Structures are given as C-alpha cells and as structure tokens.
Amino acid sequence: MAKGRIRFLNDDEKERIHGTSVRILEEIGVRILSDSVCDMLVQEGCGKSEKGGRILMPESVIESAVQSAPKTVRLSGRGEIEDIVIPSGRIYSANGGEGVYIKNLLTGEQRPSTLDDIRDFMIMANEFPQIDFCWGMVGALDQPAHIKELIELKVGFQYTEKHVQGGSLEPQQAEEMIELASILTGSKEDLRKSPIFSAIECPISPLTFEKGLAESQVVFSRHGIPVVSMSASLAGLTSPVTIAGTLTQVNAENLASLVISQIASRNSPWIYSSDSVPADFKSGSIDYGAFESHLLRTGAAAVSYTHLTLPTKRIV
C-alpha cells in the first residue's frame, strides 16, 4: 500500500483496444497536412487512401516503429539538477500548461497572459521541490506568433535549470530552438546526449496532424529531442463518448505519432501522452473534474505500457 494503484482494464480489453487502434491506422488512416511528411511516410511503406486524403499505416510499419523506439527516455536538467529517466518506478510532476489568461484573485480582473507571467511562473517552479520539470504555465500572447515558442523557451532557460518542456508550431522555429539549446549544452551532439528540453507536439483529434506541428516533430526527432505526443481528445465531441472508444483513438493517434518520429529518425526519443478527458456538454469545454478523466489516464497508461514499453509484447 506504499503506492496508489488503479487498474480497471484486463489483458483482453487492452488487446482489443490496441488491436482496434492498429486496424484504424491500417484501414482508415490519419490525415497529415504536410506533403513532405506524407512523402516521407509513403517512401517507408505507408500507403494512401483511395482519394489520397489519408495516410494508411500497415501493421508492419507500426510494429517496426514500436521496436525501434527506445524503451527509456532521458530528460536532462542543467547544473546540479538530476536527469529524469522514464519509466523509473516513480511519478514525476510538472507545472503546466499553456493557459491564455491571468486572473487577479483580489480584483477579479482577467487579462491575456504575457511573457512576464511565464517568467514569474518559471521562477516559482524552479523553487518548488515538488516540481521536477517545467512546462510553460501560460502562453506569451504579447510576443510575435512566429517566434513565440522560441522566446518562451529562452525565458525558461533563463529562470530555471530544470528540464523545460516546450514545442513548436513551425519547423524553422524548431531548428532555432535546437540552436538555442545547443549553445547551453556546448554542441548539438551534446544536446542529443543530454536533451535539456522536450517538445510537446499534439495530434489534432480526431486522427489529424497539422502541417507545422508534424514538420516540427520531424525536426526534433532528427536532433534527438524527446517528442511528447499529447493526444487531447474530448470524449463525446472529438472522440467517441465511451471510455473504450476514446482510449482506442488516443492509442491510434499516439501510434501514428510514433511512426512519424521513428521514420524520421530511428531510435529517436518519444513519449506516449494523453490529456484526453470528457467534454462538458453544457458548455462544450473540457471537464477535468469528471470521474472518467482518471479512468482515461489510467487506461492510456496501461495500454501504452503493455504494448510499447514491454520489449517482448507483440502488437496484436
């Protein structure tokens, strides 16, 4: 009883979820809005749907990606900060992530978030021992859109030595983020060995990869920057209303993301992730307080661990 445990999927249910995910990628496919990424995937064994609008990923390509992905991922800090190696038998915590408003608790005034807010949150996160790595608490909406994420990463490096999680919406900005980080590590090769930042590159539910995100993911993978595939389905709106259906879509989106990273660069670090929760049907917003939220997170972790982390486990 030293650790809390939740388990609600049996082995057969995990197999059914995973097997259905593979069939979705084989028969329905994913929409990738980047010609260069689509061409890369087709050259490595993927196909196209009848009308050419979706990329079809055969089981053999998925299994090859699973086999080539590293089973552990290192998230490095700087200075005296210890590296995070996952999985390691413990849970690591971060602040986060990417809010767009700041509310004054005394006056009730609400305003768009700024770069100064990111600085303040990074300073706080750096001092809290409970926070192991830092994700931008808010977005710097006062910065130019084409360099916003680069500036946010720079401020993260300025105010914490903990591992920083960021991301990019454009491949050119991803290249610039790598250049920035390599200055701190000494070289791009040193950055590959000790990645001091990682990149959240989200699939767009359902089963879609936006052009800039997909191309940025390729850039990060080729430079050894860990990519976090955060599927953010809203059960009942952008994914099936059932827990099993949403878990199947989450798993399919993560597998597709894994294929992109591993075809871009074999053995590139990649992290399975889900921020999928039920939708609030009264408002259409995210319902983080729903009981099913915890089951979706637990289920995604169980399916991913069984099929992506255990080295002897077959896909189907």
Side-chain angles (χ1 to χ4, degrees), residues 32 34-48 55 57 61 214-215 217-219 221-222 256-266:
I32 301 176
S34 165
D35 290 339
S36 64
V37 175
C38 287
D39 291 344
M40 177 190 76
L41 295 174
V42 170
Q43 289 173 7
E44 295 297 325
C46 293
K48 287 189 175 182
I55 294 295
M57 297 180 173
V61 172
E215 293 177 357
Q217 178 172 341
V218 169
V219 170
S221 296
R222 289 175 175 170
S257 173
L258 174 63
V259 168
I260 293 172
S261 280
Q262 295 308 304
I263 287 181
S265 179
R266 296 293 176 181

Side-chain angles (χ1 to χ4, degrees), residues 1-299:
M1 297 300 294
K3 298 179 180 179
R5 294 185 296 272
I6 301 177
R7 181 178 300 157
F8 75 98
L9 294 176
N10 61 35
D11 290 343
D12 178 64
E13 290 166 336
K14 286 184 285 187
E15 293 290 339
R16 288 168 59 193
I17 288 170
H18 202 76
T20 303
S21 300
V22 172
R23 288 196 296 275
I24 287 172
L25 295 179
E26 284 189 309
E27 299 171 10
I28 299 174
V30 293
R31 190 176 182 212
I32 301 176
L33 305 178
S34 165
D35 290 339
S36 64
V37 175
C38 287
D39 291 344
M40 177 190 76
L41 295 174
V42 170
Q43 289 173 7
E44 295 297 325
C46 293
K48 287 189 175 182
S49 62
E50 184 176 347
K51 295 184 178 180
R54 296 186 304 278
I55 294 295
L56 307 178
M57 297 180 173
E59 179 186 348
S60 59
V61 172
I62 299 170
E63 184 168 4
S64 175
V66 171
Q67 294 302 321
S68 71
K71 298 300 181 283
T72 59
V73 176
R74 180 177 300 276
L75 306 178
S76 296
R78 293 181 291 137
E80 298 182 358
I81 301 295
E82 293 186 6
D83 289 356
I84 295 171
V85 179
I86 53 175
S88 63
R90 60 155 290 189
I91 294 175
Y92 293 96
S93 299
N95 60 312
E98 198 65 23
V100 293
Y101 291 106
I102 293 289
K103 187 172 185 177
N104 188 312
L105 297 181
L106 298 178
T107 66
E109 177 190 3
Q110 183 171 286
R111 60 170 175 79
S113 56
T114 68
L115 191 64
D116 286 345
D117 297 316
I118 290 183
R119 176 202 62 203
D120 294 344
F121 281 122
M122 284 294 179
I123 292 171
M124 292 173 61
N126 188 64
E127 298 303 317
F128 289 162
Q130 299 87 348
I131 293 178
D132 300 294
F133 62 101
C134 297
W135 183 22
M137 198 81 177
V138 292
L141 303 186
D142 57 339
Q143 300 301 306
H146 67 288
I147 55 172
K148 169 180 169 292
E149 287 78 20
L150 175 64
I151 294 173
E152 291 172 349
L153 181 66
K154 178 182 76 74
V155 169
F157 287 151
Q158 283 180 303
Y159 292 99
T160 182
E161 291 189 330
K162 296 179 180 180
H163 181 86
V164 177
Q165 224 162 49
S168 174
L169 300 179
E170 298 294 340
Q172 178 59 41
Q173 186 175 218
E175 296 278 7
E176 292 166 350
M177 294 171 83
I178 291 163
E179 291 285 350
L180 171 64
S182 65
I183 293 172
L184 299 177
T185 60
S187 69
K188 290 182 180 179
E189 187 56 35
D190 289 332
L191 177 62
R192 182 182 296 272
K193 295 176 182 177
S194 300
I196 57 175
F197 82 101
S198 51
I200 298 174
E201 302 296 328
C202 300
I204 308 300
S205 298
L207 299 167
T208 301
F209 289 80
E210 192 273 333
K211 180 180 187 294
L213 289 170
E215 293 177 357
S216 295
Q217 178 172 341
V218 169
V219 170
F220 287 131
S221 296
R222 289 175 175 170
H223 285 85
I225 301 300
V227 169
V228 182
S229 172
M230 184 176 288
S231 173
S233 299
L234 282 177
L237 287 184
T238 64
S239 69
V241 72
T242 63
I243 291 175
T246 292
L247 285 175
T248 300
Q249 181 173 300
V250 166
N251 196 57
E253 290 174 349
N254 271 273
L255 287 174
S257 173
L258 174 63
V259 168
I260 293 172
S261 280
Q262 295 308 304
I263 287 181
S265 179
R266 296 293 176 181
N267 202 43
S268 60
W270 177 92
I271 299 173
Y272 191 112
S273 178
S274 173
D275 191 31
S276 300
V277 295
D280 183 332
F281 291 107
K282 291 182 178 179
S283 64
S285 64
I286 301 169
D287 191 357
Y288 280 118
F291 172 75
E292 292 86 352
S293 298
H294 308 293
L295 297 182
L296 287 169
R297 289 186 173 90
T298 303

